[in-house]
Amino acid sequence: MSTAVDPITRSVIQHRLSSIVAEMGEAMLRTSYSQILNSSRDFSIAICDTRARLVAQADHIPVHVGALPWAVRAVEARFADIAPGDVMLLNDPYHGGSHLPDLTAFVPVFADGRRFFWTVVRAHQSDIGGATHGGYNPEATEIWQEGLRIPPLRLHEGGRPRDDLLDMLALNVRNARDFRGDLAAMVGAAHLGQRRLERLFAEFGTAVVEAAVEAILDAAEQQARAVVAGWTDGVFNGEAFLDDDGRGRENLRIAATVTKRGSDIEVDLSDSDPQADSFVNSSHANTQAAVAMAFAYLIDPATPKNDGALRPLKVVAKQGTIVWADPGRPVTLCTSHPSNEIVEAVIKALAGCCPDRAMAGWSRRFRLAIKGEDPRSRRGFIWHMFQARPGGGASPGGDGWSSIGEWHTAGGIKFGSIEVAEVRFPLHFRRHEFRPGSGGRGRHRGGLGVALDLVVETERPALANTAGDGVRHGACGLHGGEDGAPHDYRLVSAGRPPRVLKTKEAGIVLAPGDVLEIRSGGGGGWGPPAERSAAAQRRDVEQGLVDAGAQEH
């Protein structure tokens, strides 16, 4: 017989679950070692049950969280003897992961002798081995060239860490100190969540907590279905394009056919282009996450984004396409691209189904990583650029957010303190400000990108690589709005003309004193520009947001 839970108890438990994942995130932020985590916050937290259902998540990185149930499925399929004190780990895209830099740690939660939950932490490592520093290899033609692959394994057994295994993992990355520290932070945050859930079980009892979780998921489903039922029935199509695969193949197409019937949504990506020879392919879990993101952005913000809210959604994909690569293909760029293009294609399709909810395109990711020696300490460093965040798309509700980031992060990744970055790394941010005119025009304007001039202050040459997209295709406008400006990155060296940086390039030599001129893209506009109010146009001019000349180098 199921236990009945009154609405107040259900609400209390729901808020407790939310507070647990939030506290886990704070612990992760305060204890991690690398800049990519303790400054830019490129990690996510969740609670899943043993059926791989997403029960609760913290507000971090959407593309992480949407893929976590697939990771839990892989762990559940691999281990039949999970015990208290165990810690599981994986990163492999073909075993429930999204891409190799994202390690995922799992701690089981037991009560009354039974296993109920997993506390889960996914965090992007500053390096994961492979042929290039920083976790992205633009030249990879197979996944073995991208870094260390970790299938589901037991990192701690019965409360004891497997030090030999940890030594093996740390030996295969370039910055073992940060790797060990970040992994310890992940495990610590997951154990914190475990203790908080055990206290929850002790306070309310297992039967009440179980019943409350079912009620929470069912309520989220009801809320999501109520929204979808109000949308127009029919079949709708959308598409988006990657600039290229870095191998000369251009305009790779993501195609979404969305069928809406009643309160059900089916997203079929089968007509997307064949898989690529480079790292722009997507893993299966990552594609599932991208579609879930697009759907979650269009339902009510107050609806908890858990398994229940995603029950109206069905995803269809074809293996061998860019959205579901065959095993062995490189996929490291996938959390950015084609994730953003999948979201864009789905939302373009749904714009015909729920035009009052669909937003214009967010700009794309164009990442840069630098490896060198800090002359102040003579220690090596790896720096990931999270500054110069691009602009978000406008919506029916107003202008897009400036420098908010990409669709796959939705503001979850921060660029952190400029001053702290200059203290920690031999870099000088000579300029970091909004890029006027970069947001697409419309009734509501797209958010602005950023103009950054970054000076390399090493004494010896450093090495950089890039990984991204969006120098040909800007963020899409919607319902008559204009596209945002695309990215434009250049390397300026003394005595040489400026060199345009490609989005997928390895082995870029940075001489001491070189300047990286970064101009990130803006978000798309929403609605016809002629419908923008005179007051908004005056405000744009007064605040210096629409000076197109400032886009020039």
Side-chain angles (χ1 to χ4, degrees), residues 29-71:
L29 178 67
R30 295 168 188 271
T31 59
S32 52
Y33 277 42
S34 63
Q35 155 254 352
I36 199 170
L37 300 180
N38 61 31
S39 179
S40 299
R41 309 186 187 206
D42 195 349
F43 62 84
S44 296
I45 309 292
I47 296 169
C48 293
D49 67 8
T50 57
R51 294 159 59 185
R53 298 184 303 175
L54 179 64
V55 172
Q57 61 162 304
D59 291 331
H60 290 125
I61 314 299
V63 75
H64 283 172
V65 178
L68 290 181
W70 303 92

XYZ file of all heavy atoms in Angstrom, residues 29-71:
334
model
N 32.061 24.517 -5.066
C 32.645 25.805 -5.440
C 33.785 26.191 -4.509
O 34.823 26.694 -4.942
C 31.550 26.879 -5.419
C 31.972 28.306 -5.739
C 32.412 28.422 -7.189
C 30.829 29.273 -5.448
N 33.615 25.923 -3.225
C 34.568 26.399 -2.226
C 35.761 25.474 -2.014
O 36.737 25.860 -1.365
C 33.842 26.616 -0.889
C 32.798 27.720 -0.958
C 31.896 27.729 0.272
N 30.797 28.663 0.116
C 30.843 29.951 0.470
N 31.953 30.431 0.996
N 29.799 30.734 0.303
N 35.689 24.253 -2.516
C 36.775 23.299 -2.264
C 37.529 22.865 -3.512
O 38.581 22.237 -3.391
C 36.240 22.041 -1.553
O 35.225 21.420 -2.358
C 35.644 22.394 -0.192
N 37.027 23.151 -4.698
C 37.708 22.733 -5.925
C 38.976 23.564 -6.140
O 39.106 24.684 -5.643
C 36.770 22.847 -7.125
O 36.189 24.133 -7.191
N 39.906 23.025 -6.887
C 41.225 23.626 -7.066
C 41.325 24.500 -8.311
O 41.940 25.563 -8.272
C 42.282 22.514 -7.172
C 42.776 21.966 -5.859
C 41.895 21.704 -4.806
C 44.116 21.682 -5.665
C 42.349 21.181 -3.616
C 44.583 21.159 -4.470
C 43.694 20.907 -3.442
O 44.150 20.386 -2.261
N 40.779 24.056 -9.420
C 41.079 24.701 -10.694
C 40.155 25.880 -10.968
O 39.006 25.927 -10.511
C 40.989 23.688 -11.842
O 39.680 23.191 -11.961
N 40.673 26.813 -11.766
C 39.924 28.016 -12.131
C 38.631 27.682 -12.844
O 37.612 28.364 -12.679
C 40.822 28.890 -13.010
C 40.097 29.848 -13.954
C 40.164 29.375 -15.414
O 40.871 28.423 -15.742
N 39.430 30.043 -16.277
N 38.634 26.619 -13.627
C 37.455 26.272 -14.418
C 36.266 25.904 -13.525
O 35.111 26.017 -13.913
C 37.797 25.119 -15.392
C 36.786 25.045 -16.534
C 37.908 23.791 -14.678
C 37.215 24.093 -17.629
N 36.556 25.504 -12.267
C 35.494 25.126 -11.337
C 35.263 26.194 -10.271
O 34.129 26.605 -10.041
C 35.833 23.788 -10.672
C 36.012 22.604 -11.624
C 36.339 21.338 -10.847
C 34.768 22.393 -12.468
N 36.328 26.647 -9.584
C 36.102 27.560 -8.456
C 35.912 29.005 -8.874
O 35.582 29.858 -8.057
C 37.216 27.438 -7.407
C 38.580 27.786 -7.950
O 38.732 28.607 -8.846
N 39.614 27.161 -7.382
N 36.085 29.303 -10.163
C 35.818 30.644 -10.662
C 34.698 30.633 -11.691
O 33.712 31.358 -11.570
C 37.087 31.237 -11.270
O 36.850 32.536 -11.781
N 34.827 29.748 -12.691
C 33.831 29.722 -13.766
C 32.655 28.795 -13.491
O 31.654 28.835 -14.193
C 34.508 29.322 -15.083
O 35.500 30.263 -15.429
N 32.763 27.923 -12.480
C 31.644 27.094 -12.010
C 31.139 26.113 -13.064
O 29.926 25.912 -13.204
C 30.489 27.969 -11.511
C 30.894 29.023 -10.511
C 29.704 29.759 -9.952
N 30.124 30.875 -9.105
C 29.400 31.382 -8.131
N 28.208 30.881 -7.863
N 29.843 32.387 -7.408
N 32.050 25.508 -13.786
C 31.658 24.570 -14.836
C 31.427 23.187 -14.226
O 32.147 22.228 -14.487
C 32.737 24.517 -15.923
C 32.248 23.852 -17.202
O 31.152 23.261 -17.171
O 32.964 23.910 -18.209
N 30.417 23.094 -13.392
C 30.041 21.831 -12.767
C 28.541 21.836 -12.505
O 27.894 22.888 -12.538
C 30.811 21.595 -11.465
C 30.550 22.621 -10.392
C 29.456 22.530 -9.545
C 31.432 23.690 -10.210
C 29.213 23.486 -8.567
C 31.195 24.649 -9.236
C 30.081 24.544 -8.405
N 27.998 20.645 -12.241
C 26.556 20.519 -11.978
C 26.322 19.452 -10.919
O 27.128 18.541 -10.733
C 25.797 20.172 -13.261
O 25.908 21.220 -14.205
N 25.174 19.573 -10.265
C 24.812 18.730 -9.123
C 23.407 18.178 -9.344
O 22.519 18.889 -9.813
C 24.815 19.544 -7.811
C 26.124 20.316 -7.637
C 24.518 18.649 -6.621
C 27.339 19.475 -7.396
N 23.208 16.924 -8.963
C 21.867 16.344 -9.082
C 21.684 15.220 -8.073
O 22.650 14.662 -7.535
C 21.627 15.819 -10.493
N 20.429 14.895 -7.842
C 20.029 13.690 -7.120
C 19.198 12.867 -8.089
O 18.236 13.369 -8.682
C 19.203 14.019 -5.865
C 20.032 14.813 -4.855
C 18.669 12.739 -5.212
C 19.207 15.389 -3.710
N 19.602 11.624 -8.291
C 18.841 10.690 -9.112
C 18.469 9.484 -8.262
O 19.147 9.179 -7.267
C 19.650 10.219 -10.318
S 20.011 11.520 -11.528
N 17.397 8.789 -8.645
C 17.059 7.576 -7.919
C 17.639 6.364 -8.640
O 18.312 6.495 -9.664
C 15.552 7.460 -7.686
C 14.743 7.256 -8.959
O 15.344 7.046 -10.035
O 13.502 7.307 -8.881
N 17.395 5.191 -8.099
C 17.997 3.979 -8.657
C 17.383 3.582 -9.995
O 17.905 2.706 -10.669
C 17.868 2.817 -7.665
O 16.492 2.624 -7.341
C 18.649 3.111 -6.395
N 16.285 4.235 -10.376
C 15.692 4.018 -11.692
C 16.195 5.047 -12.697
O 15.646 5.189 -13.785
C 14.170 4.069 -11.597
C 13.599 2.916 -10.774
C 12.194 3.216 -10.256
N 11.236 3.490 -11.325
C 9.974 3.881 -11.110
N 9.536 4.039 -9.861
N 9.157 4.099 -12.129
N 17.255 5.754 -12.306
C 17.884 6.767 -13.165
C 16.949 7.929 -13.465
O 17.053 8.561 -14.525
C 18.413 6.152 -14.459
N 16.058 8.220 -12.553
C 15.174 9.380 -12.720
C 15.795 10.596 -12.037
O 16.284 10.501 -10.910
C 13.789 9.089 -12.139
C 13.059 7.953 -12.814
C 11.659 7.771 -12.251
N 11.654 7.537 -10.815
C 10.561 7.434 -10.068
N 9.366 7.552 -10.634
N 10.649 7.210 -8.776
N 15.758 11.716 -12.711
C 16.263 12.961 -12.154
C 15.258 13.478 -11.127
O 14.129 13.825 -11.470
C 16.463 13.987 -13.269
C 16.977 15.369 -12.874
C 18.377 15.276 -12.282
C 16.971 16.299 -14.088
N 15.670 13.525 -9.867
C 14.780 13.915 -8.771
C 14.932 15.390 -8.431
O 13.957 16.097 -8.193
C 15.050 13.036 -7.531
C 14.268 13.542 -6.320
C 14.704 11.576 -7.830
N 16.163 15.880 -8.386
C 16.412 17.283 -8.066
C 17.737 17.688 -8.678
O 18.639 16.865 -8.852
C 16.441 17.509 -6.554
N 17.874 18.965 -8.986
C 19.114 19.494 -9.547
C 19.334 20.899 -9.037
O 18.399 21.601 -8.669
C 19.061 19.505 -11.069
C 17.954 20.381 -11.630
C 18.144 20.739 -13.097
O 19.166 21.290 -13.470
N 17.161 20.416 -13.912
N 20.585 21.300 -8.992
C 20.916 22.683 -8.688
C 20.965 23.480 -9.992
O 21.087 22.921 -11.070
C 22.258 22.756 -7.966
N 20.885 24.799 -9.861
C 20.881 25.660 -11.046
C 22.312 25.875 -11.528
O 22.959 26.876 -11.203
C 20.223 27.003 -10.726
C 18.735 26.872 -10.473
O 18.139 25.958 -11.044
O 18.192 27.677 -9.698
N 22.807 24.926 -12.307
C 24.164 25.033 -12.820
C 24.167 24.943 -14.341
O 23.722 25.868 -14.997
C 25.056 23.960 -12.162
C 25.325 24.237 -10.715
N 25.047 23.335 -9.712
C 25.822 25.327 -10.088
C 25.373 23.849 -8.535
N 25.849 25.056 -8.742
N 24.626 23.848 -14.932
C 24.817 23.766 -16.375
C 23.776 22.823 -16.974
O 23.845 21.603 -16.776
C 26.234 23.250 -16.720
C 27.292 23.965 -15.875
C 26.497 23.436 -18.211
C 27.351 25.449 -16.065
N 22.801 23.338 -17.720
C 21.716 22.481 -18.225
C 22.185 21.293 -19.052
O 21.625 20.202 -18.945
C 20.873 23.451 -19.065
C 21.116 24.793 -18.459
C 22.544 24.765 -18.016
N 23.221 21.481 -19.886
C 23.641 20.371 -20.740
C 24.262 19.245 -19.920
O 24.245 18.085 -20.327
C 24.608 20.853 -21.841
C 25.997 21.133 -21.283
C 24.664 19.868 -23.001
N 24.821 19.563 -18.753
C 25.293 18.521 -17.843
C 24.128 17.713 -17.298
O 24.099 16.481 -17.366
C 26.017 19.147 -16.643
C 27.395 19.621 -16.912
N 28.114 20.343 -15.979
C 28.212 19.483 -17.981
C 29.305 20.621 -16.457
N 29.380 20.127 -17.683
N 23.181 18.447 -16.705
C 22.132 17.790 -15.923
C 21.254 16.907 -16.800
O 20.872 15.803 -16.399
C 21.286 18.844 -15.184
C 20.158 18.168 -14.399
C 22.163 19.653 -14.236
N 20.940 17.369 -18.006
C 20.078 16.579 -18.874
C 20.665 15.246 -19.262
O 19.934 14.310 -19.631
N 22.005 15.120 -19.185
C 22.667 13.865 -19.557
C 22.884 12.940 -18.361
O 23.217 11.761 -18.560
C 24.012 14.159 -20.216
N 22.711 13.427 -17.138
C 23.050 12.629 -15.962
C 22.224 11.348 -15.819
O 22.769 10.321 -15.386
C 22.950 13.480 -14.698
C 24.026 14.564 -14.548
C 23.848 15.323 -13.245
C 25.423 13.961 -14.635
N 20.930 11.343 -16.136
C 20.208 10.068 -16.028
C 20.817 8.955 -16.872
O 20.783 7.783 -16.471
C 18.798 10.429 -16.510
C 18.647 11.873 -16.160
C 20.009 12.458 -16.424
N 21.393 9.300 -18.014
C 22.020 8.285 -18.861
C 23.296 7.762 -18.210
O 23.637 6.575 -18.354
C 22.293 8.871 -20.245
C 21.036 9.375 -20.859
C 20.539 10.646 -20.777
C 20.064 8.621 -21.581
N 19.332 10.733 -21.420
C 19.013 9.501 -21.921
C 19.988 7.299 -21.993
C 17.901 9.099 -22.647
C 18.881 6.895 -22.716
C 17.858 7.780 -23.034
N 23.984 8.612 -17.488
C 25.163 8.159 -16.749
C 24.768 7.225 -15.616
O 25.434 6.212 -15.364
C 25.931 9.369 -16.214
